[in-house]
Structures are given as C-alpha cells and as structure tokens.
Amino acid sequence: MKKKKILLLGASSSLGKIFLRESNLNEIQGTYNKNKVGKSIFFDSIRSDISQLRIVWDNFSHAIILIGDTDPNSCIKDPELSNKLNILSIKRIIDFLSSKNIFIIFTSSEFVFDGKSGLYSESDSAKPILLYGKQKLQIENYLEKIDNHCILRLAKMYDDFDDSTLFLNWKNSIKENKVINCANDQFFSPLYTNDVVKITKIIVENNVSGLFHLSCGKRFRRDELLEVFCKTLKVKPEINLCSINDFNLPEERPLDVSLNSNKITRLLDIKFTDTESYIKKHFTEK
C-alpha cells in the first residue's frame, strides 16, 4: 500500500512546529508564511493560490489546516483581515483540496460555544460569541458539503516548550516574583499538545471522519488549577483573583468552554493526558 503523505498547512504555527518535531519528516510537507521551519515551503494563503504550490499533488492523501489567526483579540481588532485569513482563504483551500480528493483535517476551537453551560459534547449547539469562534464555525459548516474531512475542536493547549502556554507561563511568573492575575470565573479543559499530534496521526492512518472534541475531558476552574500547580511546586506566589472579563479584553469572553472528549476516546480507545498528573510529573521538585 502506498504510504500516505501529509500536507501540513501552517507548519510554522505553535502546533505546526510540534507536528514537525513529533513526525516522520519524510511523510509530511509543511508550509509557512512568515517564519520558515525545516524544509517547509512558502505559502501566503491570502495572496497566493494553493494550486501554485510546487508539489506533486498525487503524492498527498491528507492535509491538516492550521493556517489562521488564532488570537481572538487580534481577530476582532482587524475583522477584515481576520475574515480574509480565517474564512475566505480557508474556503479556497478546502475547495482545491476537495477537488484533489485529499482528506481534510481542520482544527477548530472551544470558542464555538457561548460558555453558558460547559463540558460541551459534539451534539451541543455551537453558539459563538467571539468573532474568532464565529469564523471557526463558518468553516465547520462549509466542510459539511464534502465527505472526506475531520474537524477537531481543540481545548486550550499547553506544551513542554512554549513559555506563553499555561503552566510554563505560570512557572516563569513565579520565578520572576510577579503577581499572577488569575480568573476565578472561567472554566476549561486543558489539552496537551502532544495528544493532538498523537490523535491526528491515528485519524490519518484510519481515515477517521466526523466532528470531535479534543480535551483532557475534565472541567477546571482556572484559579483552582493554579492552586494545584502552586502546591505541586510548593510555592505561594501573590495571586490576584479576578473575572476573566476584568482583563480589558476587546470582546466579552465565554465563561465555561470545558469540553467533553468521550466521543473520540471511545472511538479510538485512547486516553488524554491527565492534567494533574502532567503537573506532578513535570513540575515536582526533585
């Protein structure tokens, strides 16, 4: 059987870099826009046509779409630009990939929900209040017209290297004796980035289609998780508890975007990284 080759659109993104780091580079071809990584090729999805990429399309069976502005604040500050990137360019990419019969894996977001209930399952109605969430949902709906696709709604992610992600950000703030401003009214289900890569590989190998939530499967309040983190590190930093909407954000944030991930864990017989176990393993003092 011919080996599958994957087109990774957005390899220079935070998640894209992890895909490259954890994958067989002979089976994956990445693209970048501003910052080249490895042997990725240049692709500006707004100004360029994907059909112009100098690759042999017959060699590719799957494409993972990571291209986009994933910062809700940036999206709302320049709606015209974010719509061009997150909607118009992605629709053109989908149309072309579909014409080549390439299986599409699209990463969506927890922000397709309004945050009024929590532990959302795939059967719950998506009602985004953020522009970014509305953009993601538009693409989800657009994908419904094609058969060969998989949509992965990702929870808030953390990893082992990116200082801007949850735990490393807290660790650096503690190290620098900074006051940690932490919301006590926001709930979420943290997701380890390596789990995304692992599950995506399974999806590719088995052509798993459909809509799935990727998360640790548990509902955490942000300040309670910070408390677990501090106890593990045996530290007592200065913490300022506040509302998530006290951070002078350009849009009101949904308060509970926790995700139920039972559908994919049962289908693929997998387990997500347990958040508290991860903290103890990576941050317990030796």
Side-chain angles (χ1 to χ4, degrees):
M1 181 178 177
K2 182 181 177 182
K3 271 194 171 183
K4 296 178 172 71
K5 193 171 179 68
I6 303 167
L7 180 62
L8 182 63
L9 295 161
S12 59
S13 64
S14 297
L15 185 55
K17 292 175 183 176
I18 296 167
F19 268 101
L20 292 181
R21 188 175 67 232
E22 301 294 328
S23 301
N24 181 344
L25 297 182
N26 292 323
E27 298 175 3
I28 195 164
Q29 174 62 65
T31 72
Y32 74 96
N33 183 3
K34 295 180 180 179
N35 303 304
K36 185 172 184 178
V37 287
K39 295 182 179 179
S40 295
I41 55 179
F42 175 77
F43 175 50
D44 181 335
S45 65
I46 292 179
R47 298 175 179 83
S48 306
D49 191 319
I50 189 172
S51 64
Q52 297 172 350
L53 287 182
R54 295 182 177 180
I55 58 178
V56 180
W57 288 103
D58 287 344
N59 291 341
F60 291 87
S61 59
H62 294 72
I64 303 170
I65 302 177
L66 301 180
I67 289 173
D69 184 348
T70 60
D71 180 359
N73 296 339
S74 172
C75 289
I76 192 64
K77 286 179 180 178
D78 194 341
E80 182 179 357
L81 178 60
S82 63
N83 277 325
K84 286 180 180 178
L85 179 58
N86 289 352
I87 297 177
L88 299 179
S89 78
I90 302 302
K91 285 183 177 180
R92 290 195 300 269
I93 289 170
I94 289 171
D95 288 342
F96 178 79
L97 294 175
S98 179
S99 73
K100 293 294 184 181
N101 200 31
I102 293 175
F103 191 102
I104 299 169
I105 299 172
F106 175 70
T107 52
S108 187
S109 167
E110 61 191 356
F111 287 132
V112 299
F113 294 108
D114 59 15
K116 292 183 178 180
S117 57
L119 280 179
Y120 292 99
S121 69
E122 292 82 353
S123 62
D124 289 319
S125 297
K127 298 176 181 177
I129 61 175
L130 296 176
L131 175 62
Y132 171 63
K134 294 175 183 177
Q135 292 170 340
K136 285 294 188 182
L137 185 58
Q138 276 202 50
I139 299 303
E140 287 189 17
N141 293 336
Y142 193 74
L143 280 165
E144 289 182 359
K145 70 177 186 177
I146 66 172
D147 294 326
N148 297 325
H149 76 271
C150 183
I151 298 169
L152 303 177
R153 287 180 180 156
L154 308 182
K156 182 175 179 60
M157 293 182 289
Y158 63 90
D159 69 44
D160 305 323
F161 301 98
D162 188 346
D163 287 343
S164 68
T165 58
L166 191 65
F167 302 122
L168 291 180
N169 181 271
W170 282 345
K171 181 181 179 182
N172 290 334
S173 293
I174 292 169
K175 184 178 180 181
E176 297 169 12
N177 293 315
K178 292 182 178 179
V179 176
I180 300 177
N181 295 311
C182 184
N184 60 1
D185 61 353
Q186 187 192 45
F187 297 83
F188 63 129
S189 304
L191 171 65
Y192 185 35
T193 50
N194 287 34
D195 287 346
V196 180
V197 176
K198 176 183 69 177
I199 290 169
T200 304
K201 287 180 179 179
I202 297 174
I203 288 170
V204 168
E205 289 301 318
N206 296 279
N207 284 329
V208 178
S209 60
L211 169 65
F212 301 98
H213 288 176
L214 270 58
S215 79
C216 68
K218 294 183 180 180
R219 179 177 181 265
F220 289 97
R221 200 173 76 197
R222 186 178 283 261
D223 64 311
E224 292 176 338
L225 191 58
L226 175 57
E227 183 179 353
V228 171
F229 185 77
C230 291
K231 285 183 178 179
T232 301
L233 267 67
K234 299 179 181 178
V235 295
K236 294 183 178 181
E238 184 177 351
I239 299 172
N240 175 42
L241 296 179
C242 56
S243 168
I244 188 65
N245 289 307
D246 287 338
F247 285 88
N248 194 31
L249 301 169
E251 292 178 288
E252 184 175 340
R253 281 291 196 274
L255 295 181
D256 192 337
V257 289
S258 54
L259 298 179
N260 181 319
S261 57
N262 288 342
K263 180 180 177 181
I264 197 164
T265 56
R266 290 169 180 166
L267 177 67
L268 302 183
D269 191 25
I270 56 169
K271 289 183 179 180
F272 285 91
T273 298
D274 180 77
T275 307
E276 292 160 298
S277 298
Y278 175 90
I279 292 173
K280 291 176 182 177
K281 179 179 178 180
H282 288 80
F283 297 101
T284 300
E285 293 182 348
K286 304 299 181 183

